[in-house]
Amino acid sequence: MIEIEIINETGGELTAGCEKSVTDAIRLCAEAENAAENAEVCVMLVTNEAIKNLNARYRGADAETDVLSFPQYGPGEAPAGGAPRAYGDIVISLEKALSQAREYGHSPERETGFLAAHGMLHLMGYDHMTPGDEKIMFDRQEEILSKAGLFR
C-alpha cells in the first residue's frame, strides 16, 4: 500500500474529512495505476503566498495556483535496488482549495480530494497539455473521485 505523508504548513487545521479525501484519492489513484507495493508520496498543504512563490520559482508563473506536482523521477526512471518508489511531492494551496470549493458550490472534501487526485496523476505521468491528454486525465480523475464518493 502507498505510504502518504501529509504536512500542513498553513498554520490552520486540516479537517479529518479533508485529510481522508486526500488520502483516499491518492490511494485510489495508486491502485488504479498499479503503483509499486512500497510506494510513497508527500502532500504539502501551503498558503496561497507559498504556492505562488513555488509556481514562480519552478514554473516561471508569478501567480497563485491550486496544486503543483514535483515528480521524483522522470518517465521510465525508477529507484535502484528495491528502494521505495517515491513518486514525489504534491503541493496544495489549502486556502485556494477552500475558496474554490465555495466558488464551485461543492464541499471542501471534494475539492481537496480533486486536487490530490490531480496532483497524483501528474506524478504518475498524466498531463493535460493537449485536448486528448486532458480528456484522458480528467476522465481518470472523475473515475477516481467517484470511487472515493467525492461528487460535485
Side-chain angles (χ1 to χ4, degrees):
M1 179 181 289
I2 191 164
E3 182 179 325
I4 303 164
E5 180 179 11
I6 299 176
I7 301 169
N8 185 352
E9 295 189 349
T10 67
E13 186 177 339
L14 179 66
T15 68
C18 285
E19 182 173 349
K20 181 179 182 330
S21 70
V22 167
T23 57
D24 286 353
I26 290 171
R27 282 200 174 100
L28 287 166
C29 283
E31 288 172 14
E33 296 298 316
N34 299 311
E37 284 291 319
N38 59 343
E40 54 189 41
V41 66
C42 180
V43 179
M44 295 181 61
L45 303 171
V46 299
T47 62
N48 283 342
E49 180 180 348
I51 207 162
K52 179 181 178 183
N53 291 338
L54 290 170
N55 204 20
R57 181 175 179 184
Y58 292 103
R59 295 185 63 235
D62 190 24
E64 295 171 1
T65 191
D66 49 10
V67 63
L68 293 170
S69 297
F70 297 96
Q72 180 72 27
Y73 300 101
E77 294 180 341
R85 172 65 160 104
Y87 280 95
D89 300 326
I90 300 168
V91 182
I92 297 172
S93 168
L94 189 55
E95 282 181 86
K96 188 69 114 174
L98 298 176
S99 165
Q100 287 177 170
R102 286 188 299 274
E103 179 183 337
Y104 301 146
H106 53 246
S107 71
E109 292 80 11
R110 199 275 181 197
E111 188 65 18
T112 53
F114 168 81
L115 295 174
H118 188 89
M120 186 62 181
L121 288 173
H122 274 307
L123 293 181
M124 300 184 97
Y126 284 80
D127 213 330
H128 46 87
M129 299 302 287
T130 68
D133 288 344
E134 181 178 287
K135 179 169 179 18
I136 291 167
M137 183 174 179
F138 283 45
D139 286 351
R140 191 62 148 171
Q141 279 174 185
E142 287 306 316
E143 175 187 320
I144 288 160
L145 294 172
S146 292
K147 285 182 183 176
L150 297 169
F151 303 100
R152 290 179 193 236

